[in-house]
Amino acid sequence: MGLETAVAPTIHPELLSAFSQDEFNSQVMTTYGRFNLALIKGEGCTVWDTDGKAYLDFVAGIATCTLGHAHPTVIEAVTTQIQTLTHVSNLYYVPVQGELAKWLTDHSCADRVFFCNSGAEANEGAIKLARKYAHTVLNISEPVILTAHASFHGRTLATVTATGQPKYHKNFAPLIPGFHYVPYNDFAAIESAIAELDGRVAAIMLEPLQGEGGVNPGQVEYFQQVRKLCDERGILLILDEVQVGMGRSGKYWGYEQLGIEPDIFTSAKGLGGGIPIGATLCKAHCNVFQPGDHASTYGGNPFVCAVALAVCQTLERENILANVQARGEQLRASLQQLASKYPVISEVRGWGLINGLELQAESNVTAIDVVKTAMQAGLLLVPAGPKVIRFVPPLIVSAAEIDRAVSIIDRVLGAM
Ligand SMILES: *Cc1c(COP(=O)(O)O)cnc(C)c1O
């Protein structure tokens, strides 16, 4: 049976076709421009809709389902922990939270971890930590954090302000003071912003590779210059690893691709493999939080920590980083071949299993056109801006699944 016709045998018959978009939209706030698709079942890199139609999932909940859907290790961790203890409070010690923190500090440059529930919340923690450091260590009374154009850091008021894209700011004024934007991969712009802000810059916050802003990889030389400047001036370097971290780049952390270490970094998306968890991580010298400074009711509860620990241990035990590297090379090579066949493709770029296919700016084909047509053909993709199609499959994706995805793109571009 081909993918297009495969029906998962365990879909409960009542779920099939029992869904009404109109009813959904009359009850759920319309904050998302949703595709005309309702998903009800997943296994590995495949998901099924309400008609029982199968799709190859190269979105993975936007770079989140690290081990795909319904992974046996995740099911086991979820089941065992929920039968044991789901939630208590950070009023008490949570041993499995300590185990997860140990895994993270053993596998990164960080010395300390704060757990929360999402990427935006992890970045809020990083921003608060940097501000406290500015006030208590650097003696800056009105600290500024530099962030990049085309960045994405989240949707809370502070993280949407940090996000250097005006479309996300519209109608939400007044924004949070203390942010200043510079072009990405442009060191001279950072130097002049620091000069202009006259001693107020406390931190520079960047993505190692800009995900949502168009799959723009950071340049090694730029990040090394930024790191050196931060060291000379005592400025903190914060890296937002929410999308590219946790193995997606082919290393555990995006900063390993750049040959530098941040002072503070954040993780979320892939960390829990699909359950909501975020983390703010830092080196010992900027560990300035004290009891009462920061908190999150759900943060690091036994349930999410047990699942995230299982995801981390599986990445390591099954050497999934090797798969990320090999499948990433395979995908980029195949997409390059399509680029020589279809002039509408202007560039293929990325690291590991976060890759972008950019369309010619002058062409009237947009990323969303390709994404919609691919969806009809049984492949889920997500745009990263108007002209870039993003490929972020589960990190367990197979060589055959990469080939199948590329042949669908080939057919879709051929028909356009
Ligand atoms: C998705 C994302 C965020 C926001 O994460 P949420 O969990 O949606 O709050 C922040 N930074 C980056 C780089 C992201 O990709």
Side-chain angles (χ1 to χ4, degrees), residues 95-117:
V96 66
Q97 185 183 123
E99 279 185 75
L100 179 60
K102 176 163 170 43
W103 192 94
L104 288 168
T105 54
D106 282 352
H107 293 80
S108 77
C109 65
D111 300 306
R112 294 285 190 285
V113 190
F114 172 85
F115 290 105
C116 56
N117 310 290

Side-chain angles (χ1 to χ4, degrees), residues 56-65 248 380-382 390 392-394:
L56 194 50
D57 184 7
F58 271 46
V59 177
I62 313 190
T64 292
C65 306
R248 184 153 293 280
L380 300 187
L381 295 165
V382 58
R390 185 168 19 166
V392 282

Side-chain angles (χ1 to χ4, degrees), residues 41-59:
K41 163 91 186 155
E43 207 175 286
C45 298
T46 305
V47 289
W48 285 266
D49 72 7
T50 43
D51 294 325
K53 180 178 167 182
Y55 300 81
L56 194 50
D57 184 7
F58 271 46
V59 177

Side-chain angles (χ1 to χ4, degrees), residues 118-121 123 152-154 207 240 242-243 268-269:
S118 68
E121 200 186 351
N123 287 334
F152 186 81
H153 299 297
E207 292 157 87
D240 180 342
V242 167
Q243 188 157 164
K269 290 197 166 87

Side-chain angles (χ1 to χ4, degrees), residues 52-303:
K53 180 178 167 182
Y55 300 81
L56 194 50
D57 184 7
F58 271 46
V59 177
I62 313 190
T64 292
C65 306
T66 309
L67 302 177
H69 302 277
H71 191 284
T73 311
V74 175
I75 293 174
E76 163 71 25
V78 165
T79 312
T80 305
Q81 190 60 45
I82 218 149
Q83 289 171 343
T84 308
L85 185 67
T86 303
H87 179 78
V88 280
S89 162
N90 289 300
L91 290 169
Y92 315 105
Y93 284 92
V94 176
V96 66
Q97 185 183 123
E99 279 185 75
L100 179 60
K102 176 163 170 43
W103 192 94
L104 288 168
T105 54
D106 282 352
H107 293 80
S108 77
C109 65
D111 300 306
R112 294 285 190 285
V113 190
F114 172 85
F115 290 105
C116 56
N117 310 290
S118 68
E121 200 186 351
N123 287 334
E124 286 273 347
I127 292 164
K128 283 181 71 178
L129 189 63
R131 284 191 171 185
K132 182 166 183 195
Y133 184 89
H135 287 287
T136 60
V137 180
L138 302 175
N139 289 312
I140 302 174
S141 58
E142 286 186 63
V144 174
I145 298 177
L146 301 184
T147 66
H149 294 164
S151 59
F152 186 81
H153 299 297
R155 302 299 201 114
T156 61
L157 272 173
T159 60
V160 88
T161 305
T163 296
Q165 300 191 54
K167 69 174 178 183
Y168 292 121
H169 297 165
K170 195 165 172 252
N171 291 329
F172 296 117
L175 297 174
I176 304 290
F179 291 93
H180 183 93
Y181 313 102
V182 290
Y184 190 61
N185 280 335
D186 180 345
F187 183 64
I190 288 200
E191 282 183 306
S192 53
I194 287 175
E196 187 190 321
L197 289 158
D198 194 23
R200 287 178 58 205
V201 175
I204 301 172
M205 180 170 176
L206 298 166
E207 292 157 87
L209 171 155
Q210 293 186 324
E212 118 89 40
V215 191
N216 306 312
Q219 288 165 6
V220 172
E221 195 193 354
Y222 167 73
F223 273 88
Q224 298 200 343
Q225 287 172 317
V226 171
R227 178 67 271 176
K228 188 159 167 281
L229 179 117
C230 287
D231 289 340
E232 286 163 4
R233 304 287 188 101
I235 294 171
L236 296 175
L237 179 58
I238 306 172
L239 292 186
D240 180 342
E241 294 265 4
V242 167
Q243 188 157 164
V244 80
M246 273 311 287
R248 184 153 293 280
S249 73
K251 309 266 187 197
Y252 283 122
W253 307 105
Y255 65 74
E256 295 174 66
Q257 299 283 353
L258 300 167
I260 53 141
E261 291 182 356
D263 302 292
I264 301 173
F265 67 99
T266 56
S267 179
K269 290 197 166 87
L271 176 58
I275 52 101
I277 183 169
T280 305
L281 303 97
C282 75
K283 291 200 175 189
H285 72 94
C286 43
N287 174 35
V288 293
F289 278 159
Q290 286 161 337
D293 279 341
H294 196 49
S296 178
T297 297
Y298 280 129
N301 85 12
F303 175 69

